[in-house]
Amino acid sequence: MQIELHNVHKTYEGAQPLHVLKGVNLSIEKGEFVSIMGASGSGKSTLLNILGILDNYDEGEYFVDGQLIKNLSERSAARYRNKMLGFVFQSFNLISFKTAVENVELPLFYQGVGRKRRHDMAMEYLERLGLKEWAGHYPNEMSGGQKQRVAIARALITHPQIILADEPTGALDSKTSVEVMELLGQLNREEKVTIIVVTHESGVANCTNRIIHIKDGVIGNIEENSRHNASAFGTTTVMK
Amino acid sequence: MRLDIDTYKEIADSLLRNKRRSLLTGFGVFWGLFMLLFLIGGGAGLKDLLSKTFSGFATNSMIVVEGQTTKPYKGLKEGRWWDIDYRDVERLKMMVPELDVVCPMISTWGSSVVYGAQTSSAGIKGVEASYKEVETVNLKYGRYINEVDVAQERKVCVIGKRIYNELFPEGGDPCGKYIEVGAVQLRIVGVDFNSGMMSINGQASQSLVMPITLAAKLYHRGSKVDLLCLTGKKGVKMSSLEPRLRSVMGRQHLFDPTDKPAMMVLNTEQIFSIVDNLFRGLNFLIWLVGLGTLLAGAIGVSNIMMVTVKERTVEIGIRRAIGALPQEILMQIILESVSLTIIAGSFGIVFATFMLRALELIAKSTFQIGFWTAVAAMLLLAVLGVVAGLAPALRAMHVKPVDAMRDE
Ligand SMILES: Nc1ncnc2c1ncn2[C@@H]1O[C@H](COP(=O)(O)OP(=O)(O)OP(=O)(O)O)[C@@H](O)[C@H]1O
Ligand SMILES: [Mg+2]
């Protein structure tokens, strides 16, 4: 088991404490392609942030490759994020004053990779995603789909074992959404990367092999979807 | 933190991204450092200018002049005049061993001096050879009055710069030439170029110095002298000698030692200490104003960096999410702050030296700050940059990766 959660709780403190995750139990194996679905405010992003060690949880246990991820030092959390995990977000989260290639290089910069090598690697990944001509462009000169592909290139460049994507198609039209999901699926098949996609679009979820439903802060039913026929809207299109 | 080109590029990028803001923030530091250095240079130059005025005079000297008594003493009524006598020189030397030089002076005003067709007017000073210990002599030509001149009443003189310029407009060494002073011919033995503004009985440049014995004879003074110039031995505080001088002189010339107007005592030490205190005060003010302005600039940098960090929360969050360590973020913000202060401050240093140079050309004095002052200013800037960047950097360091995911 690559990812295991036992009874994970998360409460947002505040004027009115909000108990978002109320005992999540979940296991995901290496090389899986899964989606997490649920209503808005059900805690999908909260769960994904915990999986990505971007946020901490209050109770329970979270294991990655059998290693307990709890109360990590900033240094080791940063190392996990840098070496093990790749992130793709709904709002792309590219740095606006950096060009596409500079954005893709950034994780390698923090790994201490030399200037030339990281540039070459970034170019190679951009090329693989068909963005070679866009390398020198700034994010505001690119379309949503292109930005998301840059973000995917940035997530891939460190050869992560797990890619976490929070509504990666949320800001894209249906055609581009299909392309992005096909890209993720291809990565999963060819590179055996574990991919976890949070979405509330059933068509997007249908592209994945397993659909995990989250409701009222706990895991609801889990659909096996290896035949990609779960969508209520059909099996061939990604409906918005 | 890797200090490769990209680190510098990152810094340049983020400073240049908001050029006007960087410029305005930098201006505070620029102006602060300019003010500090300009004031330091200006203050030092002013002091230099003033000490030039006071130069040419021993700092531990004292002048004693006779006065009118205001108290009755040993049966004598007040309102009596007395005279300093040539023999007081030996008397004081013997009774007050802390004294180094005791030099009597006879002087007259406005004598005309003639050489050929040229005339000039001079204040005559009859002194002993030791007078050069009291008022610094800056000989351009020849020598000063010596003991043999005094002993033999030689008809020789040393003339000041103005007199020299007026009598010898074509320049050249005038030593050996004879000039007429009243009815007598005096041979010039030296030219004194001392241009200090402080001196006894007229500026040195307008003075003609001759042996006191000759002056006594020419002006029929007998053994009376006008005043005594005293200097103390090393480490002697002149003001502490005053009561003893009064009692020695009072016993001899029959006036009450506590009768201040009976004997006037001018202590240069006091004048110098007033000037010194003035400059100490001025210096304090300079540092207060200069450092205050600089500090205000640094606080400006800190404030703006704080705003910048707040604006960049998402960017910092992204960096953290893709593996930046908190201390790498800390370093980045501090380096940005240091770069801003150092660049702005360097312009301040350049501008200050430029303005001081201009001042020098106008005022013809040295106003420039030293090399090491500039180096110290650079170090100060670096420290200020770190201090200014610290609070914003700590704030940036505490940005969590999840903060990048919120889209507000
Ligand atoms: N930092 C936070 N502080 C306080 N409350 C939060 C915070 N982040 C999220 N919440 C709350 O926790 C709940 C779950 O949020 P979360 O973002 O996980 O939902 P979600 O399932 O991703 O929803 P959506 O589909 O709209 O993205 C929401 O009610 C939200 O308001
Ligand atoms: Mg969400």
Side-chain angles (χ1 to χ4, degrees):
Chain A
M1 233 28 88
Q2 192 176 28
I3 287 176
E4 270 197 277
L5 287 95
H6 294 303
N7 198 30
V8 165
H9 286 258
K10 171 79 182 175
T11 302
Y12 286 115
E13 301 298 339
Q16 222 166 5
L18 193 64
H19 197 175
V20 180
L21 299 184
K22 301 169 183 165
V24 170
N25 290 294
L26 182 64
S27 351
I28 295 169
E29 293 207 53
K30 191 166 169 52
E32 269 202 85
F33 186 19
V34 304
S35 57
I36 300 175
M37 282 194 81
S40 184
S42 56
K44 305 183 294 291
S45 298
T46 305
L47 177 60
L48 198 78
N49 288 343
I50 290 171
L51 292 177
I53 326 181
L54 298 170
D55 208 351
N56 39 25
Y57 53 99
D58 306 317
E59 220 180 281
E61 283 151 341
Y62 167 33
F63 295 94
V64 174
D65 284 339
Q67 282 278 324
L68 180 64
I69 305 293
K70 196 165 197 178
N71 301 327
L72 290 185
S73 69
E74 290 286 3
R75 181 170 288 275
S76 47
R79 195 179 304 122
Y80 270 113
R81 287 196 291 264
N82 191 249
K83 298 248 160 105
M84 184 106 170
L85 305 166
F87 299 94
V88 178
F89 302 101
Q90 173 177 1
S91 49
F92 320 125
N93 281 340
L94 298 175
I95 293 177
S96 60
F97 57 93
K98 286 181 179 296
T99 60
V101 68
E102 285 168 346
N103 266 289
V104 177
E105 275 181 45
L106 207 55
L108 296 179
F109 173 71
Y110 287 115
Q111 274 185 9
V113 176
R115 188 178 158 73
K116 169 134 176 53
R117 204 172 116 68
R118 63 175 189 254
H119 182 80
D120 291 347
M121 278 177 75
M123 284 309 289
E124 186 192 315
Y125 274 87
L126 282 176
E127 193 170 356
R128 263 179 63 180
L129 297 183
L131 286 167
K132 199 179 169 205
E133 308 82 74
W134 292 89
H137 287 254
Y138 289 91
N140 62 1
E141 299 162 349
M142 287 186 272
S143 72
Q146 288 166 333
K147 280 192 261 196
Q148 199 59 297
R149 276 184 288 160
V150 173
I152 292 171
R154 181 179 66 186
L156 288 178
I157 199 159
T158 54
H159 302 292
Q161 295 173 34
I162 304 165
I163 285 183
L164 302 165
D166 193 350
E167 313 224 14
T169 60
L172 305 177
D173 64 21
S174 49
K175 185 172 168 288
T176 333
S177 297
V178 174
E179 284 170 13
V180 166
M181 288 314 289
E182 276 174 357
L183 183 62
L184 290 176
Q186 187 190 349
L187 278 171
N188 169 254
R189 283 190 304 277
E190 292 174 2
E191 319 237 335
K192 305 281 175 268
V193 186
T194 310
I195 296 180
I196 304 172
V197 180
V198 159
T199 183
H200 55 247
E201 296 165 34
S202 47
V204 169
N206 189 35
C207 299
T208 64
N209 300 334
R210 196 152 69 111
I211 304 170
I212 298 164
H213 290 270
I214 181 167
K215 201 178 173 200
D216 299 327
V218 289
I219 301 296
N221 68 316
I222 297 176
E223 293 177 63
E224 280 303 325
N225 188 39
S226 37
R227 286 162 55 214
H228 303 285
N229 55 4
S231 175
F233 305 101
T235 54
T236 50
T237 52
V238 177
M239 290 296 287
K240 296 299 285 189
Chain B
M1 188 96 188
R2 289 151 290 279
L3 283 177
D4 68 3
I5 299 166
D6 280 25
T7 310
Y8 300 115
K9 200 170 165 296
E10 295 266 338
I11 293 166
D13 273 356
S14 52
L15 290 182
L16 291 177
R17 202 146 21 105
N18 210 325
K19 287 193 192 68
R20 186 154 42 145
R21 181 196 282 170
S22 297
L23 211 68
L24 288 175
T25 329
F27 187 80
V29 172
F30 159 79
W31 188 248
L33 200 72
F34 166 71
M35 281 292 269
L36 180 63
L37 291 182
F38 188 72
L39 285 175
I40 288 175
L46 212 62
K47 186 166 184 178
D48 188 58
L49 215 63
L50 253 177
S51 57
K52 252 188 201 161
T53 307
F54 287 104
S55 77
F57 215 86
T59 47
N60 61 338
S61 59
M62 199 181 241
I63 296 160
V64 174
V65 187
E66 62 217 19
Q68 198 176 12
T69 62
T70 59
K71 287 180 188 176
Y73 187 66
K74 289 194 174 168
L76 294 168
K77 276 193 179 157
E78 73 262 36
R80 194 176 62 88
W81 285 96
W82 59 280
D83 294 302
I84 299 177
D85 196 84
Y86 200 83
R87 283 180 294 273
D88 287 327
V89 174
E90 284 310 311
R91 187 170 296 121
L92 282 179
K93 273 188 184 164
M94 204 154 73
M95 304 296 281
V96 189
E98 289 94 333
L99 290 176
D100 186 21
V101 170
V102 181
C103 179
M105 180 191 279
I106 290 173
S107 56
T108 69
W109 294 95
S111 302
S112 69
V113 188
V114 181
Y115 177 76
Q118 313 290 339
T119 60
S120 174
S121 86
I124 309 287
K125 290 181 189 176
V127 295
E128 286 190 344
S130 59
Y131 188 69
K132 63 178 180 293
E133 314 290 336
V134 181
E135 202 176 323
T136 316
V137 172
N138 181 13
L139 284 172
K140 173 84 172 167
Y141 297 111
R143 62 171 177 86
Y144 203 65
I145 303 291
N146 63 28
E147 279 161 24
V148 183
D149 297 332
V150 176
Q152 298 182 357
E153 299 174 20
R154 280 183 182 160
K155 289 183 174 132
V156 295
C157 67
V158 173
I159 57 175
K161 188 178 177 181
R162 280 261 293 277
I163 304 175
Y164 167 73
N165 285 339
E166 282 169 16
L167 294 187
F168 302 95
E170 13 357 308
D173 185 353
C175 293
K177 303 218 163 97
Y178 284 84
I179 54 175
E180 282 171 41
V181 180
V184 290
Q185 300 257 331
L186 298 182
R187 182 163 57 92
I188 298 172
V189 294
V191 179
D192 179 8
F193 262 44
N194 177 18
S195 55
M197 301 291 282
M198 191 167 142
S199 62
I200 302 166
N201 280 346
Q203 291 180 19
S205 63
Q206 197 76 62
S207 298
L208 183 147
V209 179
M210 63 172 75
I212 188 167
T213 45
L214 179 67
K217 206 166 172 188
L218 289 179
Y219 301 104
H220 312 292
R221 297 292 181 91
S223 66
K224 292 175 193 170
V225 298
D226 290 339
L227 50 86
L228 295 175
C229 306
L230 318 175
T231 67
K233 289 195 172 131
K234 225 183 159 95
V236 173
K237 209 163 160 6
M238 291 309 279
S239 47
S240 68
L241 299 180
E242 196 180 321
R244 276 166 62 208
L245 291 175
R246 286 184 181 282
S247 88
V248 170
M249 294 296 277
R251 199 176 324 134
Q252 181 60 31
H253 296 284
L254 300 174
F255 61 83
D256 189 336
T258 62
D259 185 0
K260 294 244 158 167
M263 186 174 103
M264 287 186 288
V265 174
L266 198 80
N267 190 345
T268 53
E269 185 188 85
Q270 281 163 357
I271 297 172
F272 281 105
S273 82
I274 288 170
V275 173
D276 255 21
N277 281 336
L278 197 83
F279 271 102
R280 212 162 294 143
L282 191 69
N283 253 335
F284 178 72
L285 222 70
I286 284 171
W287 282 96
L288 200 72
V289 171
L291 282 183
T293 319
L294 190 57
L295 211 65
I299 289 170
V301 170
S302 196
N303 263 329
I304 292 295
M305 294 296 294
M306 208 69 170
V307 173
T308 315
V309 164
K310 207 167 171 186
E311 280 181 4
R312 287 166 64 183
T313 304
V314 169
E315 177 210 323
I316 293 167
I318 296 169
R319 288 174 189 274
R320 295 279 282 112
I322 59 179
L325 291 173
Q327 50 265 45
E328 287 174 316
I329 302 293
L330 183 89
M331 267 313 271
Q332 188 185 341
I333 302 294
I334 284 182
L335 282 176
E336 279 177 26
S337 163
V338 170
S339 308
L340 188 62
T341 48
I342 285 192
I343 292 169
S346 305
F347 280 106
I349 294 177
V350 171
F351 190 53
T353 42
F354 179 77
M355 290 306 281
L356 286 170
R357 179 75 196 124
L359 206 62
E360 278 184 335
L361 292 177
I362 296 165
K364 298 196 167 51
S365 184
T366 43
F367 282 96
Q368 202 54 273
I369 48 159
F371 173 72
W372 290 110
T373 312
V375 172
M378 254 354 226
L379 287 177
L380 182 69
L381 280 173
V383 172
L384 270 182
V386 172
V387 172
L390 208 57
L394 284 175
R395 192 196 172 112
M397 197 176 97
H398 288 117
V399 169
K400 286 193 287 294
V402 267
D403 295 334
M405 313 318 142
R406 308 213 178 97
D407 336 276
E408 308 99 352

